[in-house]
Structure formats: C-alpha cells, structure tokens
Amino acid sequence: MRDKGEFLFTSESVSEGHPDKVADRISDTVLDTFLAADPHSRVACETMVTTNRVILAGETRGPASVTPELLIEKTREAIHDIGYEQDGFHWKNADVKVFLHAQSSDIAQGVDASGNKDEGAGDQGIMFGYACNETPTLMPAPLYYAHELLRRIHDLRKAGDASVAGLLPDAKSQVTLRYVDGKPVGATSVVISTQHEERLEQDEIKTMLLPLIEKVLPAGWVPGEKEIYVNPTGKFVIGGPDGDCGLTGRKIIVDTYGGAAPHGGGAFSGKDPSKVDRSAAYVCRYLAKNVVAAGLANACTLQISYAIGVSYPLSLYVDLHGNPKGIDQAKLEKTLRELVNLSPRGIREHLKLSRPIYVPTAAYGHFGRHPDPAKGTFTWEKTDLVADLKSAFGL
C-alpha cells in the first residue's frame, strides 16, 4: 500500500456462515480432532460443501481412534454451531462423506526427523507476514473494520439479541477507506450483505445495521447513507452452501491482510503445523508485529522461503516501508533469526502450535486477534520480543 498521496483502499470480510468459511471451519475441526488425540498428527484436509452435502478429502497420519464416524460427528457439531438448520443445509440431515487417506510416504520421509536430520518443511514455498500501526491490533484498517462489522453481527446473533433478529449465518462486508499521506482518514463506502429470513424487508435490515456501523467506525468516519450498501441485490434468503458451493482455502486474502500486503499463495485451514504454508505465515506475522510494536517501523513486511524436506529457511527478507527510523535492515534480519529458531520444529515449539487451537482461526482472520493464554490460541499475536528488539537497536 502506498505511503504518500491520497487514495482509496478496500478490503472485504466474510462471516463464519459463508460457504468457503464453513469449509474452512470443518477442515480445522478435523485438524483439531487429530491434534487433540495426538499432537504429532499430520493433517491436510480439504472440505467441499454444497446443498446438504459435505465432502472431506486429503491426507492424514494419526491415531486409529480418529475414525470417519467421529469426524462425521464433529462435522455436524461444527455446522450446528455455525447455525445451519435450513432445508438446503442442515447439520442433522447433510450427507457427509469422508475420503481421507494416509499421508504420502514420500512426503513423510522429508518432513519427519530421523537420525541427525531435523524435521523438514512439509512443502516448498514463500510466506509473508505484515504489520502496520493503523489500528490497535497492528492490522490494516480496511480489513480490521470489515472483520469487526461481521464479528459484531455474529456476537449479537449468537446472543439472540433482538436488534439482529431474523439475520442468518451467511454474510459479507466490504469497507473502503480514504488515505491521505498513508494514513486512513475516513470511510467512503461500506457494504454489508447478510442472509436473512424471508419476512424481513431490506429497509428493515438497513435500519438494523446502521447503528452497528456507527459504533464500529471511528467518529467522523461514517460515509453518507447513500454510500452504505446493505444487501444491494435486494434479497438474500438463500445462502450458505445451499446458495453457493464452498471450498477450503478460497478466502486467503480475507484470512490475512485484506490485500494490503503480499500473500505467498498457500491456504491455512486444515493443515497441521508441519506445513509451513501455515506455521511460517504465522511466525512471519509474529515477527513483523513485534518489529512494529517495538517502534522500529510504522509498517513491516517480512518474507521467508523453504524447500520441502529442508529444516532451515532458504531466505529471510524484511521491508520496513521506507525505513523512516533508519534501522539497519541487515542487522534486523540477523537479529530475528537469532531470536526465533525458524525451522518448522522451532516455529512449532516457539508458538506452541501442536495443539487443538485452530477452529477459532477459521473465521474473521488469522491475524489481528487477541491471544488467549487459557486456551493457547493466537500465540503468534504476542509481542513478547519487543524488549529484545528495543535492546538490540538501542531504543
């Protein structure tokens, strides 16, 4: 994203009831089920959801106690928790098929530790992390507010709040902000499309959501009412997997930085932490966030790369976006490598990733969330490297 001049930038979010997010949730439910049974399980689960059908496919290695029957039960529980009890997609009636098979032995021999060989990366690839000081969570503002709108609706709906009575699980949001000299100064448009019961008129839904938009956006940021678009198609009754097929990993920009930063291309959900698509993207966010939190930069993009079966990263690159603080970037890259062991095993152990902590990541972004020490979730959002970084650079 540019750091000078005036421009508009847009990000979108989707709710936990969006068909792609239903698929992500089920894939992460499968992952958590395996990790709860054995923290060394290997899982790469893809899910497809459509009208009253769910298909699980992929590769796993784990205990025999995780049976297809157990995974079907967990899948139904996930759908029920999201809130789908509709004719076209119902937690109780959906046909769930499991086509998971054993992990490839060729992949396993590259990933597993043996003799003097450390654990290798589960695949080749490039991963990115990003942080900026636009919001308290050090996330880009357009995505932050797009997520927050849907999170508020979700919380109210789950609580049975009368202010959102008649709204259903599937929803999308989109927020466009105006930037001046690299800083967001206000919203120029807000879009919310939300599934609803047949009885609701569109004017009623807009009346429901206007106060929520005013609460979420900072004072003075709310655009004129003509630039607030609620269900612009005019009706959104048929939703979720009954309205559109959903697939795991199809919302990678929603999951990360809303387009404000690069993405390596790999999806997260359904993958155990031996897959660097997930674990290395998490550690990249962790490092970038700590750099910004330490005051070394206003924004930080970090890239890391791996080769399948190789335990150490092939490269680490840091961009401080103009480097206004005059930080020695080569020294920073060396310091980050010293602070965290960036092998797959090192990342997994440092961030404590071999636990059933992934279902909460499946909606409203993997980043910009609050770590929960009791549950062990979102450890990559901690800023526990700040003191070491400040010391290394004399701050």
Side-chain angles (χ1 to χ4, degrees):
M1 194 184 298
R2 299 199 301 266
D3 58 2
K4 292 183 179 179
E6 183 172 335
F7 58 91
L8 304 181
F9 195 85
T10 303
S11 293
E12 69 162 346
S13 180
V14 297
S15 73
E16 78 280 6
H18 184 281
D20 293 331
K21 283 288 138 196
V22 175
D24 284 345
R25 167 69 178 271
I26 293 170
S27 290
D28 276 332
T29 295
V30 170
L31 172 60
D32 278 358
T33 301
F34 271 97
L35 292 178
D38 180 356
H40 301 293
S41 294
R42 299 279 192 259
V43 179
C45 177
E46 309 290 346
T47 302
M48 183 179 81
V49 292
T50 185
T51 303
N52 267 333
R53 282 177 174 78
V54 179
I55 296 172
L56 308 182
E59 302 78 47
T60 65
R61 188 179 72 193
S65 60
V66 182
T67 62
E69 292 74 21
L70 176 60
L71 295 178
I72 290 171
E73 177 186 341
K74 294 292 186 181
T75 294
R76 295 193 188 283
E77 290 174 1
I79 297 168
H80 181 264
D81 185 62
I82 292 169
Y84 277 114
E85 296 182 310
Q86 302 165 15
D87 290 342
F89 195 69
H90 197 295
W91 65 271
K92 187 183 293 185
N93 303 328
D95 179 26
V96 183
K97 299 292 187 186
V98 179
F99 299 105
L100 295 166
H101 60 82
Q103 182 187 46
S104 161
S105 58
D106 291 348
I107 293 176
Q109 70 178 352
V111 175
D112 294 343
S114 61
N116 294 324
K117 175 186 174 298
D118 199 355
E119 294 176 17
D123 201 353
Q124 72 172 51
I126 57 173
M127 298 84 205
F128 287 91
Y130 180 72
C132 63
N133 61 7
E134 293 179 9
T135 61
T137 60
L138 304 186
M139 288 290 286
L143 182 65
Y144 174 86
Y145 293 112
H147 280 325
E148 192 62 22
L149 288 169
L150 295 188
R151 266 198 295 259
R152 296 285 184 95
I153 295 172
H154 163 270
D155 291 347
L156 292 170
R157 187 175 64 81
K158 286 285 189 175
D161 195 290
S163 67
V164 295
L167 299 189
L168 297 174
D170 195 358
K172 299 178 76 171
S173 66
Q174 185 172 287
V175 175
T176 300
L177 299 185
R178 184 168 68 92
Y179 281 72
V180 176
D181 292 330
K183 297 184 182 301
V185 297
T188 61
S189 66
V190 174
V191 182
I192 300 179
S193 295
T194 178
Q195 186 187 13
H196 60 90
E197 294 177 358
E198 184 79 57
R199 64 180 177 83
L200 288 179
E201 298 293 333
Q202 301 310 308
D203 287 345
E204 293 179 80
I205 299 171
K206 189 167 187 177
T207 299
M208 282 181 183
L209 296 182
L210 281 175
L212 185 144
I213 294 169
E214 291 171 354
K215 287 180 182 178
V216 168
L217 293 178
W221 279 35
V222 180
E225 191 169 333
K226 288 185 178 180
E227 298 305 319
I228 297 176
Y229 303 90
V230 175
N231 287 2
T233 62
K235 184 179 181 182
F236 187 4
V237 173
I238 300 171
D242 187 30
D244 193 9
C245 179
L247 297 169
T248 300
R250 212 160 56 171
K251 286 292 177 285
I252 58 176
I253 299 303
V254 171
D255 285 343
T256 54
Y257 306 105
H263 192 292
F268 303 155
S269 289
K271 296 178 181 176
D272 75 80
S274 75
K275 280 74 170 174
V276 284
D277 274 344
R278 184 167 215 161
S279 55
Y282 285 179
V283 84
C284 284
R285 162 63 179 174
Y286 173 64
L287 295 176
K289 183 176 183 180
N290 275 270
V291 167
V292 174
L296 303 185
N298 298 323
C300 175
T301 298
L302 191 145
Q303 186 208 57
I304 198 168
S305 69
Y306 291 87
I308 187 168
V310 178
S311 62
Y312 55 85
L314 306 186
S315 66
L316 173 66
Y317 164 78
V318 177
D319 178 4
L320 299 182
H321 296 261
N323 197 10
K325 314 287 177 124
I327 298 299
D328 182 336
Q329 296 189 187
K331 178 182 176 181
L332 177 58
E333 290 165 1
K334 181 175 182 291
T335 302
L336 294 175
R337 282 181 180 266
E338 292 170 349
L339 289 175
V340 180
N341 178 349
L342 295 175
S343 70
R345 176 186 56 80
I347 296 169
R348 191 187 74 243
E349 292 177 352
H350 189 96
L351 297 179
K352 298 179 172 58
L353 298 180
S354 296
R355 296 178 293 171
I357 57 173
Y358 296 102
V359 162
T361 68
Y364 311 115
H366 292 243
F367 307 129
R369 310 289 291 274
H370 297 291
D372 186 334
K375 296 179 180 177
T377 52
F378 301 103
T379 56
W380 50 93
E381 290 296 316
K382 295 191 297 184
T383 52
D384 53 350
L385 301 181
V386 165
D388 289 330
L389 286 169
K390 285 185 173 181
S391 176
F393 289 90
L395 299 180

